Amino acid sequence: MKDGANYISIKGARTHNLKNITIDIPKNKLIVFTGVSGSGKSSLVMDTLFAEGQRRYAESLNSYARQFLMRMQKPEVDNIVNLSPAIAINQKISANNNARSTVGTLTEIYEYIKLLFAKVGKTYSPISHQQVIAHNATTIQDEILKLPEGTKVFITSPLAKTKDSKALLESLLQKGFVRIFRNHKIESIESALAEKNVNLTKDAYVVIDRLIIKKFDEDELTRLVDSIESALYEGNHEMAFIVNETEIFTRSNRFEADGIEFVEPSLNLFSFNNSFGACTKCEGHGIAYGIDSSLIVLNQKKSIEGGAIQALERRELHGYKIAFLKVLNGFNIPLDKPLNDFSREEMQKFLIGGGGFAGLYDSIEEWDKLNTGTHYNLWSKYKRRTTCSACKGTRLRKEALYVRVENKTMRDIVNTPIDELYAWFCEIQLNEHDKKIATRILAEINARLKTLRNVGLGYLTLNRNAGTLSGGESQRIKLTLSLGSSLTESIYILDEPSIGLHPRDTENLIHVLQSLKEIGNTVIVIEHDEAMMQAADEIVDIGPLASYQGGEVVAQGTLKIILKNTKSLTGQYLSKKLQISRTVKTPDFANCIEIQNAYQHNLKNINVKIPLHCFCVIVGVSGSGKTTLVKHILYPYLKAFTESGTSPQIDYCDTIIVTKKSIDFVEMIDQNAIGRSSRSNPISYIGAFDLIRDLFARQPFSKQHSFYAGMFSYNVPGGRCESCEGEGEKTIEMQFLADVKIPCDECNGRRYKSSVLEAKYNGKNIADVLDLTVDEAIIFFEKEKKILPYLQALQDVGLGYVHLGQSSSTLSGGEAQRIKLAYYLLQGNAYGKCLFIFDEPTTGLHFHDIQKLLTSFDALLQKGHSIIVVEHHTDVIKNADWIIELGPEAGQQGGEIIFTGTPQQLAKDKKSPTAKYL
């Protein structure tokens, strides 16, 4: 071990498969830990280094927290020296239970924007579009003092309207007031009372004070303010100052205009987590049960008059159609023209409204309200949880949207892509007063927006729900939050931060990580990306293989040292001694999918052909439109098409044509968890656990004690430990801290009753078997021909290191995805020809494992299936049969098909952002 404060020294690390590792990690450097999947990288970095850092932090807590520390498992390590405070940012997709959580709240940018709107936001009336101002004595005084010297000014209050004018004047005299203003002149109250029939006009005022504009001393200014405040009090929040007995300027300290009382800007007004600011319809969720516009089927080939709105063709809704046609006729919307021939502006007006017309969707909302309370809701089939029609998804009450900063409402801000939003905030022009208030706020906003752009998330909006983010997106958002805290002398641990990033965006991410290092932090990255390794100050290669064949430091040092190490698989792939390859074939397009005029989100009316029965890769920079095209347009259509056998209505696309009998079903294999509970595991998902339980039930001990197969399940009563109900652990609720999970003291984490664990096969009980890795289990079950194929499928997709009983909640998104792949490899073509759609399948994979993945893809293709992959990894792209690239940039600068062809053709395309990385 090296001495001194410049190294973190780990001695005797034995967590999981680690083989008594001793290693020195340089501080204030960018260090990449790499190695094949399951080699022990996470065991060393996360489960040893970070876990020990957390344990030491917990020791500093109060006695309530410390009473549980002895029951928490310590990392299996002899000692760690010079360990700084550690922050871990992992990439595992976890369910976000807070439906109100957004990109804006996760990064805390929304907190600063709320503050900006509360402090410098201006409220505008939706009727006159004029700014709403609540005057006070100081602002009114400032107005008066701007008048020319010598001007006569009367401070007055409007007189209350009353039938008994005489009584009102007498009460004013008793209060000490002596003059009124009426009929455009000043007169005494006594002279008015002398009239036979006292009549106060509607524009009558009591004079509070009078003055001539000059240079006032301090006492005179104080008197003026006091007079204005008295006028506002006497006038019930209203006053007027009259200039030269000719001009009347009324002012109010009420926040109102055009007969509407507005809510003054405050933090709570812009908080959708607060009942004061949240939309009353959706309660701040942005989603409510109501009419879903996507269910209102439009036949693009027909005119409105001829039946384009299919819902209104229902007999019971015919009356609505007749009334609607009359309304449309008055707003110059063509009734006899097919929707296909509508201009974009005409379609926008027809659907959304404009010029006084509510639009189709809002009109249907109103018709639905008319049916509320009836025994039969005519519009029920078009309703589901959808974007709230009241707040349009912004989650805020309508009064919050009357407030603007530089002509932008909060709705505009949260729905603008971060790239565009950053540019707007950089150029924002505020007056001197507002600039003094907002300077610090804007600095915080711009710093966080810049980081989001630098980590490749410029295409997101602040209103994007946290639950829709991928693992890589979630991790980079956490990184943005950590950067905002500006910590120094800490250890930042990141688990594959390049997930979901185009190679160009990875370069920006590297710059962000290097900036963390430059301010005095140690940055440790678990990564397989080649560019990340090239940028590292030091690389640690763990291996040589996975599971029990790994757990050693194979190589450590600079990139040059790794390249020369013949024992390092990473070095051999980086030096090109080993290469990822497959036999590429050119598609013939005899079987294909043709998409015509797709225009959802940022897609710009694109047309594209996707070949079938081959390996097709969709590429493009992050946010270019890949997910929109594949996941939001193509997949929903094919799902409905293969299940119904008929062509369904298509949203945001004119036509999708599929070669007949080329697809029997479609599967989206994404990174969502394989199960909803911690009880699900790899072997139960692929169907092998039933066979293993049956095997144990056939053993002599089981037969002797009448143990049936269900006794070996920890999901149902019988053989499971009832103290923890088969979980193997218990949750301790910690006051003010995250809950702590500890092993069950009844079964010691084994999940089963001690009697059930006496039943053994080949010397191991059911708990021992669940603790085996897939690689170990293949050797253990070598004589069980029914079980072996299931285990082999998991090994083939690079999951040999995963434990059979490993909880699905501990699996990364990439691992969950490959378990699904293994399941379909086992199915063969039992259900017919399938189109498999994979979203970033290389997540968490080393070069060596990617080769296994491509071999698995070829196994699917040989059985007549088709594969579409959304991917950024260059080794996958160069081995594709066909490539479709979207771009050229993200957000509104993307959404176009910029290339289709083979990898060789792409490499020569100078306009492609991807080409130079091949």
Side-chain angles (χ1 to χ4, degrees):
M1 296 176 69
K2 294 184 179 179
D3 297 324
N6 295 325
Y7 289 88
I8 303 165
S9 297
I10 301 174
K11 182 178 181 181
R14 299 177 299 278
T15 305
H16 301 148
N17 68 330
L18 299 181
K19 294 174 181 172
N20 206 36
I21 285 179
T22 293
I23 184 173
D24 295 302
I25 303 169
K27 299 183 77 171
N28 302 327
K29 301 289 184 182
L30 173 59
I31 304 108
V32 169
F33 279 74
T34 190
V36 298
S37 303
S39 60
K41 305 181 299 296
S42 295
S43 295
L44 180 60
V45 175
M46 301 294 290
D47 301 332
T48 302
L49 183 66
F50 176 67
E52 176 64 8
Q54 289 295 90
R55 189 188 69 80
R56 292 183 186 182
Y57 162 73
E59 284 182 340
S60 67
L61 300 177
N62 60 36
S63 58
Y64 172 78
R66 289 201 305 273
Q67 68 179 304
F68 300 103
L69 294 179
M70 296 304 294
R71 302 174 68 183
M72 294 172 63
Q73 290 184 338
K74 294 182 179 180
E76 292 188 52
V77 61
D78 291 342
N79 193 22
I80 300 180
V81 180
N82 294 331
L83 182 58
S84 305
I87 301 163
I89 306 174
N90 60 36
Q91 58 89 13
K92 186 180 71 179
I93 299 177
S94 57
N96 194 314
N97 296 323
N98 187 352
R100 293 189 179 94
S101 187
T102 66
V103 169
T105 60
L106 286 176
T107 57
E108 296 182 353
I109 293 173
Y110 190 72
E111 299 302 314
Y112 288 100
I113 292 176
K114 282 196 308 184
L115 187 60
L116 181 71
F117 269 72
K119 296 300 182 183
V120 303
K122 307 293 188 291
T123 303
Y124 291 84
S125 167
I127 297 174
S128 65
H129 305 293
Q130 296 299 309
Q131 184 179 343
V132 182
I133 298 174
H135 294 279
N136 57 43
T138 303
T139 59
I140 297 170
Q141 179 200 50
D142 292 342
E143 278 191 88
I144 293 171
L145 294 178
K146 289 178 182 177
L147 295 171
E149 286 193 20
T151 303
K152 293 181 180 180
V153 179
F154 298 88
I155 308 299
T156 71
S157 295
L159 290 176
K161 307 300 180 285
T162 178
K163 293 181 179 179
D164 193 348
S165 299
K166 186 175 182 180
L168 175 61
L169 292 174
E170 288 174 344
S171 70
L172 290 173
L173 272 178
Q174 290 176 359
K175 290 181 180 180
F177 299 114
V178 295
R179 295 177 181 81
I180 62 171
F181 178 85
R182 65 170 178 165
N183 300 323
H184 304 288
K185 65 178 181 179
I186 301 290
E187 58 181 294
S188 69
I189 294 177
E190 289 183 344
S191 65
L193 284 171
E195 296 175 5
K196 187 174 183 181
N197 295 311
V198 181
N199 181 27
L200 297 177
T201 63
K202 65 177 181 178
D203 293 324
Y205 302 84
V206 58
V207 178
I208 307 297
D209 200 357
R210 54 184 179 168
L211 63 145
I212 296 175
I213 301 299
K214 61 172 186 175
K215 291 185 178 180
F216 294 109
D217 59 28
E218 191 172 331
D219 290 339
E220 289 170 324
L221 289 173
T222 301
R223 172 185 164 180
L224 175 57
V225 171
D226 290 343
S227 298
I228 294 169
E229 288 177 343
S230 297
L232 288 168
Y233 175 78
E234 291 295 331
N236 191 21
H237 301 289
E238 291 186 10
M239 63 83 65
F241 61 90
I242 301 169
V243 178
N244 295 328
E245 297 187 44
T246 56
E247 294 182 277
I248 303 173
F249 298 91
T250 60
R251 296 291 182 263
S252 171
N253 61 4
R254 290 194 187 97
F255 200 60
E256 61 181 23
D258 301 323
I260 303 172
E261 187 170 348
F262 293 86
V263 180
E264 294 197 52
S266 66
L267 281 174
N268 284 342
L269 179 62
F270 303 103
S271 175
F272 46 76
N273 289 318
N274 184 296
S275 59
F276 182 77
C279 168
T280 54
K281 181 173 181 179
C282 66
E283 298 180 338
H285 291 89
I287 295 174
Y289 185 72
I291 299 294
D292 184 350
S293 59
S294 68
L295 299 178
I296 308 300
V297 179
L298 299 175
N299 189 327
Q300 302 283 339
K301 296 179 181 178
K302 292 184 179 181
S303 65
I304 299 171
E305 199 172 45
I309 311 168
Q310 294 187 19
L312 297 185
E313 297 305 303
R314 291 167 56 192
R315 185 178 61 185
E316 62 269 30
L317 296 177
H318 192 65
Y320 289 99
K321 178 180 178 179
I322 294 171
F324 191 53
L325 290 177
K326 290 180 181 178
V327 173
L328 288 172
N329 201 36
F331 286 97
N332 298 320
I333 294 175
L335 305 179
D336 55 354
K337 184 164 72 171
L339 295 185
N340 272 336
D341 296 334
F342 271 41
S343 67
R344 185 59 66 91
E345 291 73 23
E346 287 176 327
M347 184 62 77
Q348 183 82 0
K349 185 176 181 181
F350 166 54
L351 297 176
I352 309 300
F357 171 54
L360 173 65
Y361 298 148
D362 283 350
S363 297
I364 292 175
E365 286 274 358
E366 290 302 315
W367 299 336
D368 176 52
K369 290 176 184 177
L370 296 175
N371 279 276
T372 302
T374 60
H375 69 283
Y376 172 64
N377 190 334
L378 296 172
W379 299 96
S380 60
K381 69 179 291 184
Y382 305 109
K383 297 172 77 172
R384 65 182 178 188
R385 288 186 64 79
T386 184
T387 302
C388 175
S389 59
C391 66
K392 308 299 182 189
T394 56
R395 309 157 187 262
L396 298 171
R397 59 189 286 185
K398 65 180 181 181
E399 289 83 357
L401 302 179
Y402 297 151
V403 184
R404 296 173 179 267
V405 171
E406 283 298 286
N407 210 33
K408 275 191 182 289
T409 66
M410 186 63 86
R411 178 186 294 162
D412 299 328
I413 295 287
V414 299
N415 288 326
T416 299
I418 285 164
D419 276 334
E420 297 175 29
L421 195 60
Y422 175 69
W424 183 79
F425 270 113
C426 286
E427 298 171 1
I428 190 170
Q429 298 292 323
L430 300 174
N431 60 46
E432 287 302 316
H433 174 267
D434 290 348
K435 190 183 291 185
K436 289 179 181 177
I437 297 171
T439 299
R440 181 67 185 274
I441 303 171
L442 290 172
E444 294 289 346
I445 292 171
N446 285 335
R448 284 166 168 78
L449 290 175
K450 183 178 181 181
T451 304
L452 282 173
R453 292 178 72 244
N454 288 344
V455 297
L457 296 177
Y459 57 92
L460 294 179
T461 63
L462 297 180
N463 204 34
R464 173 80 172 266
N465 189 279
T468 66
L469 297 170
S470 69
E473 288 170 336
S474 296
Q475 184 179 197
R476 294 195 296 280
I477 282 174
K478 293 174 191 172
L479 176 60
T480 302
L481 183 59
S482 295
L483 285 169
S485 63
S486 300
L487 292 177
T488 60
E489 298 183 16
S490 301
I491 302 171
Y492 280 87
I493 299 172
L494 294 96
D495 186 7
E496 296 205 61
S498 69
I499 290 171
L501 284 184
H502 186 273
R504 189 189 66 181
D505 300 310
T506 301
E507 290 181 2
N508 293 329
L509 173 63
I510 290 169
H511 293 317
V512 171
L513 298 182
Q514 287 175 332
S515 69
L516 268 179
K517 178 190 73 174
E518 287 163 5
I519 62 173
N521 294 297
T522 303
V523 182
I524 297 176
V525 183
I526 301 172
E527 189 57 88
H528 300 112
D529 184 80
E530 185 172 345
M532 192 73 74
M533 287 187 245
Q534 290 172 345
D537 298 311
E538 186 156 306
I539 300 171
V540 180
D541 190 15
I542 306 294
L545 297 174
S547 188
Y548 65 94
Q549 295 177 300
E552 302 174 24
V553 176
V554 176
Q556 180 179 5
T558 63
L559 180 63
K560 287 183 179 179
I561 292 172
I562 301 297
L563 290 173
K564 294 177 181 177
N565 192 311
T566 56
K567 295 181 180 179
S568 167
L569 273 174
T570 303
Q572 291 187 65
Y573 277 101
L574 290 174
S575 64
K576 307 305 178 187
K577 292 176 182 176
L578 291 176
Q579 294 194 35
I580 298 170
S581 64
R582 63 177 287 271
T583 303
V584 176
K585 64 175 184 178
T586 304
D588 59 9
F589 285 90
N591 295 290
C592 68
I593 301 167
E594 185 173 354
I595 300 173
Q596 297 178 358
N597 196 32
Y599 54 87
Q600 188 179 13
H601 296 153
N602 67 332
L603 297 183
K604 296 179 173 62
N605 301 87
I606 64 173
N607 301 300
V608 64
K609 285 185 178 181
I610 301 174
L612 296 173
H613 307 311
C614 69
F615 179 36
C616 179
V617 177
I618 313 290
V619 303
V621 297
S622 304
S624 59
K626 304 182 299 297
T627 300
T628 300
L629 176 65
V630 176
K631 199 170 185 177
H632 298 164
I633 293 179
L634 179 62
Y635 174 68
Y637 173 83
L638 292 178
K639 186 76 172 172
F641 171 73
T642 55
E643 289 178 354
S644 66
T646 59
S647 295
Q649 172 64 29
I650 314 168
D651 294 325
Y652 308 109
C653 181
D654 286 355
T655 309
I656 295 180
I657 302 169
V658 184
T659 305
K660 289 183 179 180
K661 298 181 180 180
S662 57
I663 302 175
D664 296 310
F665 69 108
V666 61
E667 284 294 336
M668 170 68 73
I669 303 182
D670 54 22
Q671 296 182 23
N672 291 330
I674 59 172
R676 296 184 178 180
S677 75
S678 59
R679 296 175 182 275
S680 61
N681 58 44
I683 57 167
S684 62
Y685 185 85
I686 64 173
F689 200 19
D690 292 339
L691 298 173
I692 293 172
R693 290 200 301 267
D694 288 340
L695 176 63
F696 270 89
R698 294 197 304 270
Q699 300 310 303
F701 184 89
S702 299
K703 291 179 179 180
Q704 183 181 350
H705 292 82
S706 301
F707 287 173
Y708 51 92
M711 295 283 285
F712 298 95
S713 170
Y714 50 72
N715 290 321
V716 294
R720 73 181 184 184
C721 169
E722 290 303 328
S723 179
C724 62
E725 296 183 336
E727 290 282 359
E729 59 187 15
K730 292 181 179 180
T731 301
I732 305 296
E733 294 184 0
M734 303 282 281
Q735 188 178 3
F736 306 123
L737 293 171
D739 293 345
V740 172
K741 293 185 180 295
I742 61 173
C744 172
D745 50 10
E746 183 73 24
C747 66
N748 293 319
R750 305 285 277 171
R751 297 188 172 207
Y752 293 94
K753 293 176 180 177
S754 57
S755 58
V756 171
L757 295 179
E758 291 184 42
K760 296 183 178 180
Y761 167 79
N762 204 15
K764 291 187 183 294
N765 59 38
I766 187 67
D768 295 330
V769 167
L770 291 176
D771 200 40
L772 292 173
T773 64
V774 171
D775 288 337
E776 292 168 336
I778 286 176
I779 299 171
F780 182 75
F781 287 115
E782 60 181 347
K783 295 180 181 179
E784 301 298 329
K785 303 304 180 186
K786 289 184 178 180
I787 297 174
L788 271 180
Y790 292 88
L791 303 176
Q792 190 65 54
L794 289 171
Q795 189 183 62
D796 288 345
V797 296
L799 293 175
Y801 61 92
V802 170
H803 292 267
L804 301 189
Q806 189 169 335
S807 170
S808 64
S809 63
T810 66
L811 297 168
S812 70
E815 288 167 341
Q817 190 177 38
R818 294 195 294 281
I819 289 172
K820 296 172 191 176
L821 172 59
Y823 171 81
Y824 286 106
L825 284 171
L826 288 165
Q827 302 306 312
N829 52 9
Y831 303 110
K833 297 175 182 176
C834 178
L835 170 62
F836 291 100
I837 300 174
F838 290 87
D839 185 13
E840 298 280 350
T842 62
T843 298
L845 290 186
H846 184 268
F847 306 108
H848 198 59
D849 301 304
I850 292 174
Q851 181 64 66
K852 295 181 181 179
L853 178 71
L854 294 181
T855 302
S856 299
F857 284 169
D858 281 331
L860 289 175
L861 293 172
Q862 288 168 10
K863 293 172 181 176
H865 302 305
S866 305
I867 296 175
I868 296 175
V869 172
V870 177
E871 186 56 81
H872 295 115
H873 201 292
T874 52
D875 284 306
V876 173
I877 297 170
K878 72 182 185 183
N879 281 288
D881 296 326
W882 194 254
I883 296 171
I884 298 169
E885 183 171 12
L886 279 80
E889 299 296 332
Q892 293 306 311
Q893 284 72 51
E896 301 176 23
I897 301 293
I898 61 172
F899 174 83
T900 59
T902 64
Q904 291 77 16
Q905 292 168 336
L906 175 61
K908 298 175 183 177
D909 192 315
K910 295 181 180 179
K911 296 180 180 179
S912 164
T914 306
K916 71 175 185 177
Y917 298 99
L918 293 180

